[in-house]
Amino acid sequence: MSAEAHNDHAVDHHHDDHHHGDDHDHGSFKTYMIGFLLSVVLTAIPFWLVMTEALAPQTTGLVITAFAVVQIIVHMVFFLHMNHKSEGGWNMLALIFTIVVVVIAVAGSVWVMYHLNTNMMPTHDMQTMG
């Protein structure tokens, strides 16, 4: 085999090896469009609820929060391609760990702030002192 033929064979071999061992889905135009349309709908509905004041403010807040959670899931599935099969399940395990840590941090912070507010000394009227 000549050097030129060997180089051509090596170049062809490298061009055929695109996957490098990763077998996760990179998405298609159809899945990206589905994700995009779901994202638009999941944004438009809360926007409409706020602009028209169709629900009570507390209910609107809960509905917007629910739509936000669904939209996070849509983005993770359709754009980040996260599922239980990608990276041998390590992506999902890392996501679950992150969610647990964030929930602990947020819940702990809210708990501490609530108890600090409840147990603080009552405010005194500074004008009556002195």
Side-chain angles (χ1 to χ4, degrees):
M1 180 183 274
S2 69
E4 184 177 308
H6 179 70
N7 288 340
D8 288 342
H9 177 70
V11 169
D12 289 341
H13 175 62
H14 290 295
H15 286 294
D16 291 339
D17 189 22
H18 290 290
H19 295 289
H20 304 289
D22 58 341
D23 57 350
H24 54 276
D25 183 27
H26 292 288
S28 65
F29 181 75
K30 180 181 177 182
T31 59
Y32 282 119
M33 286 307 296
I34 291 170
F36 174 73
L37 292 174
L38 285 172
S39 297
V40 168
V41 169
L42 291 170
T43 301
I45 292 173
F47 183 79
W48 175 80
L49 286 173
V50 169
M51 294 305 291
T52 61
E53 298 178 0
L55 300 173
Q58 293 83 10
T59 307
T60 302
L62 291 174
V63 170
I64 289 173
T65 303
F67 272 87
V69 169
V70 171
Q71 191 163 97
I72 289 170
I73 294 169
V74 165
H75 282 250
M76 287 190 314
V77 169
F78 287 98
F79 299 122
L80 298 177
H81 311 295
M82 290 187 70
N83 57 30
H84 65 282
K85 296 183 290 187
S86 66
E87 301 292 331
W90 286 105
N91 280 346
M92 193 60 64
L93 188 62
L95 175 67
I96 292 169
F97 176 75
T98 303
I99 289 171
V100 167
V101 169
V102 167
V103 166
I104 289 170
V106 169
S109 298
V110 169
W111 180 72
V112 166
M113 289 186 290
Y114 172 78
H115 284 284
L116 281 174
N117 185 44
T118 302
N119 297 324
M120 291 290 290
M121 291 176 45
T123 58
H124 297 286
D125 188 12
M126 295 301 284
Q127 293 178 356
T128 60
M129 296 178 78

